[in-house]
Each structure stands twice: as structure tokens, then as C-alpha cells.
């Protein structure tokens, strides 16, 4: 599984701490981390939490990423932005219990972490515990297990609702402010990673059109 890490501008200084915690946990599981930045607070590409949502949607809908780890100061803005787009189910995760129950009950493909709220001594360990519980088992098995059948049914209902309430992402990107979208896709390593990993030609063409 390819796991994308995305940081917005207010918490960009923590990128390496987050990335290291993520790689420490998922590397031994056989997963690959793609760090899309921001890498430092001084990056030329300054991502807002709205642009985090755009980037996450592009990565997930194209197959360039199977999961997105993101967040902001409180995690709320990044979560709302991610859930504004089709193909993304993003949970707000503060601790390991949130991570485990979101994975098992809601079976999403992105989480938003509050990287400023309560991030003090042991913050890196909390991140590791979150990632351990997020990926420790196959997602969507239900919790508690005796609730698995109705929980899976609810997730399927949500997926069908989202199919009706959202347009196709290429159409959405076409109708958004061009500079807003282009800024979301202008990270230092975006093109290197995206075009190597993208599995959808329609999404690849949409991205090329925006960048050109």
C-alpha cells in the first residue's frame, strides 16, 4: 500500500517528525510512504488546508495513493476539506483509539490529525501509536466484531450516497479556481511521485492540463 503524507503550512515544521513516525510503523508492514510535503515552513509551495483536500482527492482518485495521512492545527479544517471531494472518506483522529475505531467501523482512506493540539512531550510517540492502530489489521472488519454486519452495510450505504452527491473529480477540478488547484499540485516532489504512481489516465490528463 502507498501511504501519502500531506502537511499544510501551519504545521509544516513537523513534517519530518510525522514522516519518521509513519515510516517507523508502516515500513516493517511492507507499506511505502510518499511524503508530498510541505517539508518546511519555508517551502515555495505553501499548502492551505483547502489545498490539502484537493491534493488528497487527486492522489486517492487517481490511485497514486491508497491512503492519505494529513492534518492541520486542529485537524478539523483538513478533515472538512478532504471530505468535500468524491473518493475520500477522512476521519478526525486524535489518538490510537480514534485510529482503530475509524479504520474498523468507518473503513475510510484518509485521516486528519490535530498536529498542534496537545502536541508536546511524547507527541512523536502518540503519532506512532495512532499509525500502529490505524494499520494493525485489515480495515473495515467492524468494532466490536458483533457489529460488523450493520457497520459494513452502513459503509456501503455511505459509498452509494457519495456516488450520487459528488461529481467526477476531473469535472470538479476543471471548475475550481485554476490557481488554487495548481498551487495544490505544485509541491517539490508532486510530479515525480504522482506520474510514477498514477493508475488513472483520465486523472493524469486532468492534472497535466492544470499544470500546463
Amino acid at each position: 500500500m502507498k501511504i501519502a503524507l500531506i502537511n499544510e503550512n501551519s504545521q509544516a515544521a513537523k513534517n519530518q517528525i510525522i514522516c519518521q513516525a509513519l515510516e517507523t510503523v508502516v515500513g516493517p508492514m511492507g507499506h511505502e510512504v510518499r511524503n508530498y510535503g510541505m517539508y518546511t515552513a519555508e517551502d515555495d509551495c505553501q499548502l492551505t488546508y483547502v489545498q490539502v483536500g484537493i491534493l488528497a482527492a487527486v492522489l486517492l482518485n487517481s490511485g497514486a495513493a491508497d491512503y492519505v495521512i494529513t492534518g492541520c492545527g486542529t485537524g478539523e479544517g483538513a478533515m472538512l476539506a478532504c471530505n468535500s471531494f468524491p473518493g475520500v472518506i477522512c476521519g478526525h483522529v486524535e489518538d490510537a483509539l480514534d485510529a482503530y475505531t475509524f479504520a474498523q467501523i468507518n473503513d475510510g482512506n484518509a485521516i486528519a490529525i490535530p498536529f498542534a493540539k496537545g502536541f508536546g512531550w511524547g507527541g512523536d510517540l502518540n503519532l506512532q501509536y495512532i499509525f500502529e492502530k490505524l494499520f494493525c489489521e485489515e480495515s473495515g472488519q467492524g468494532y466490536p466484531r458483533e457489529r460488523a454486519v450493520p457497520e459494513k452495510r452502513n459503509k456501503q450505504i455511505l459509498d452509494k450516497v457519495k456516488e450520487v452527491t459528488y461529481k467526477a473529480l476531473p469535472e470538479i477540478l476543471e471548475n475550481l479556481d485554476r490557481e488554487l488547484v495548481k498551487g495544490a499540485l505544485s509541491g517539490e516532489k508532486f510530479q515525480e511521485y504522482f506520474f510514477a504512481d498514477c493508475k488513472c489516465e483520465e486523472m493524469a490528463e486532468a492534472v497535466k492540463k492544470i499544470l500546463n
Side-chain angles (χ1 to χ4, degrees), residues 8-211:
E8 51 79 66
N9 51 21
S10 78
Q11 302 302 306
K14 296 188 178 84
N15 175 264
Q16 291 305 309
I17 296 172
I18 301 162
C19 189
Q20 183 174 355
L22 181 59
E23 289 178 334
T24 295
V25 172
V26 304
M29 297 177 179
H31 303 313
E32 183 179 1
V33 175
R34 291 293 207 193
N35 186 355
Y36 280 86
M38 296 173 51
Y39 305 102
T40 72
E42 291 76 37
D43 283 12
D44 290 336
C45 177
Q46 292 282 319
L47 294 176
T48 65
Y49 70 75
V50 176
Q51 290 173 313
V52 162
I54 295 170
L55 177 52
V58 166
L59 297 179
L60 291 169
N61 281 271
S62 67
D66 303 299
Y67 213 99
V68 167
I69 304 296
T70 189
C72 54
T74 65
E76 302 289 1
M79 179 197 69
L80 291 169
C82 286
N83 285 322
S84 297
F85 294 96
V88 185
I89 297 179
C90 182
H92 185 270
V93 170
E94 295 193 27
D95 54 32
L97 179 58
D98 283 348
Y100 185 76
T101 52
F102 172 68
Q104 295 307 313
I105 297 170
N106 306 112
D107 192 20
N109 54 10
I111 64 168
I113 301 172
F115 291 126
K117 182 182 175 184
F119 196 96
W121 188 81
D124 57 332
L125 290 178
N126 186 53
L127 290 174
Q128 288 189 37
Y129 300 153
I130 286 173
F131 300 143
E132 285 170 3
K133 288 303 182 183
L134 188 65
F135 298 113
C136 68
E137 297 176 1
E138 180 184 351
S139 185
Q141 296 188 77
Y143 181 83
R145 289 293 192 260
E146 59 266 25
R147 290 284 303 161
V149 172
E151 287 169 359
K152 289 179 180 178
R153 183 169 60 243
N154 288 338
K155 171 57 165 51
Q156 291 167 354
I157 292 170
L158 177 61
D159 289 341
K160 291 182 184 301
V161 168
K162 287 172 73 72
E163 287 176 6
V164 174
T165 57
Y166 289 88
K167 299 177 182 178
L169 187 60
E171 182 182 352
I172 293 172
L173 297 178
E174 180 69 26
N175 288 298
L176 289 176
D177 179 83
R178 179 57 57 92
E179 291 307 309
L180 177 71
V181 178
K182 189 172 183 179
L185 309 181
S186 297
E188 179 183 342
K189 296 184 179 180
F190 171 79
Q191 294 194 45
E192 174 188 348
Y193 290 162
F194 176 79
F195 289 112
D197 299 336
C198 179
K199 298 174 183 175
C200 175
E201 186 60 34
E202 183 182 9
M203 283 299 305
E205 289 303 316
V207 168
K208 288 177 183 176
K209 184 176 179 180
I210 291 164
L211 294 179

